[in-house]
Amino acid sequence: MNFIEELRWRGMLFDAMPGTEEQLNKEMTAAYIGFDPTAKSLHIGNLATIMLLKHFQLSGHKPFALVGGATGMIGDPSFKAAERQFLSEDTLRENQEGIRKQLAKFLDFDCGENSAEIVNNYDWFKEIGFLQFLREVGKYLSVNYMMSKDSVKNRLETGISFTEFSYQLLQGYDFYWLYKNKNIRLQMGGSDQWGNITTGTELIRRKEAKAEIEDNDAESGSAKAFALTTPLVTKADGTKFGKSEGGNVWLDANMTSPYEFYQFWLNQNDADVPRLLRVFTLYSKAEIEEIEKQHAEAPHLRIAQKALGKDVTIRVHGEEQYELAIKAADILFGKGTLETLQSLDEKTFTSVFDGVPQTEISKEEWDNCPNVLDLISVVTRNEVYPSKGEARRAIQGNGVSINKVKIADEKLALAELQLLQGKYLLVGKGKKNHIVKIG
């Protein structure tokens, strides 16, 4: 497929240097996007640029993902209100490894000539001394040029350190090194990265122009490096997209459970879903239009949100975790069974029932509790039922369930109950839930 045309209909093309489309139409081209390891996981704010690399590879071009082991030691100042905190080298290495594993879920690293590659800029920066860097990079870009970048201008009033001021030189040299050593002709990123990216194209232009003059190269002045950016994803009301009430939505299942991840997409507003389908999924134009048509006919079924959540959750967490997220949602809305509850891992279980009232009892209290009636009335300290009599009447009226199983015998021994994750019981009081945690 034509990469630029694909981006256009998806609304994923913000800006591109003149000649970029011609270069991509002329031959298979290598391009890269950088990811600084400021956390051990990428989040959905990174997902739009990851999708750039995905579409780039599907278009027959060669994608590179740069993990910034060197630039991560400084931190990109672009549109940040204050200086970032430095991370230790051990933390950076841990973060780099986590990001590598996540990128491997999206890109094909074994498909022949346009197989994806991951590079780490620490591999070339570790060999460069300060004086050498000034001679090879600093000489070619003026302070006036660097101060004209929005990422710098926006920080002049509040203050910017020399360390962050120099960040664009490091990113610019990344592009130059990759251009010379990996034949990479294009750097891509979010629209907030335009200044940093074009610093790279300018560095390449100036250094190559000097080399061409020295070599009497007949192609002097021709464009050799290009830049392309995608819009930052915003909601229909103009606010930034990508965070839940709890903060970032991470791609790491240990930081945001697959259930929470799926629910995030499921809870998107109708007005936002058309754009999200185009940016974050691999559905074709015809498939998206059909999804939107079905959604318009029955908005209450949330067909578009479900299609969005399915595609993204499967690609990030896999089919099995997607199915588990569906089961977890069923439990929350009263459709689950004991078998479904038992299939949930602890992270998913606690995510599903976040905010549900919970009583903790000791192992001794559990062992000394004679039956179900005492458990839900006495041991839970009257938090489920205010008295033993009311608890008894609820059981007799078929209004009590434990782990989604109706309780008919008030004298049922606790040994007959199956603890979830070895320490939880889910007590159902009509349509309301209460969790008992043992130990």
Side-chain angles (χ1 to χ4, degrees), residues 56-165:
F56 192 71
Q57 185 172 41
L58 291 174
S59 300
H61 299 293
K62 185 174 179 66
F64 282 76
L66 182 149
V67 179
T71 44
M73 293 182 175
I74 295 175
D76 184 1
S78 297
F79 302 95
K80 300 294 187 295
E83 187 107 359
R84 290 177 184 264
Q85 294 296 313
F86 285 164
L87 300 177
S88 70
E89 291 189 32
D90 287 342
T91 299
L92 283 167
R93 279 193 291 271
E94 181 184 355
N95 293 353
Q96 290 164 36
E97 184 57 29
I99 290 172
R100 281 195 188 95
K101 291 178 180 178
Q102 290 173 347
L103 289 171
K105 295 180 180 180
F106 292 88
L107 303 174
D108 191 339
F109 290 85
D110 187 21
C111 60
E113 194 176 4
N114 73 321
S115 294
E117 293 186 34
I118 293 179
V119 292
N120 184 345
N121 59 12
Y122 185 74
D123 292 339
W124 52 88
F125 273 115
K126 67 183 178 182
E127 305 296 339
I128 301 177
F130 180 65
L131 294 177
Q132 180 187 357
F133 184 75
L134 289 179
R135 290 174 64 88
E136 290 196 14
V137 183
K139 174 180 174 60
Y140 291 90
L141 296 168
S142 70
V143 171
N144 290 344
Y145 176 83
M146 294 172 66
M147 289 185 67
S148 70
K149 301 295 185 179
D150 288 339
S151 59
V152 174
K153 287 194 295 187
N154 293 341
R155 286 280 296 280
L156 289 179
E157 289 188 11
T158 58
I160 183 170
S161 69
F162 177 77
T163 302
E164 287 198 334
F165 177 65

Side-chain angles (χ1 to χ4, degrees), residues 224-260:
K224 290 181 169 59
F226 304 90
L228 182 149
T229 57
T230 191
L232 299 181
V233 182
T234 56
K235 298 179 182 179
D237 61 7
T239 58
K240 189 175 180 179
F241 171 81
K243 293 191 176 183
S244 66
E245 292 181 3
N248 283 325
V249 180
W250 302 97
L251 306 189
D252 186 326
N254 293 318
M255 298 170 72
T256 299
S257 73
Y259 167 76
E260 292 172 305

Side-chain angles (χ1 to χ4, degrees), residues 10 12 79 85 99 191 195 216 225 227 243 250 266 274 277 305 317 368:
R10 289 182 180 273
M12 293 177 66
F79 302 95
Q85 294 296 313
I99 290 172
S191 58
N216 295 314
K243 293 191 176 183
W250 302 97
L266 200 62
L277 282 168
Q305 284 90 342
H317 295 297
N368 293 330

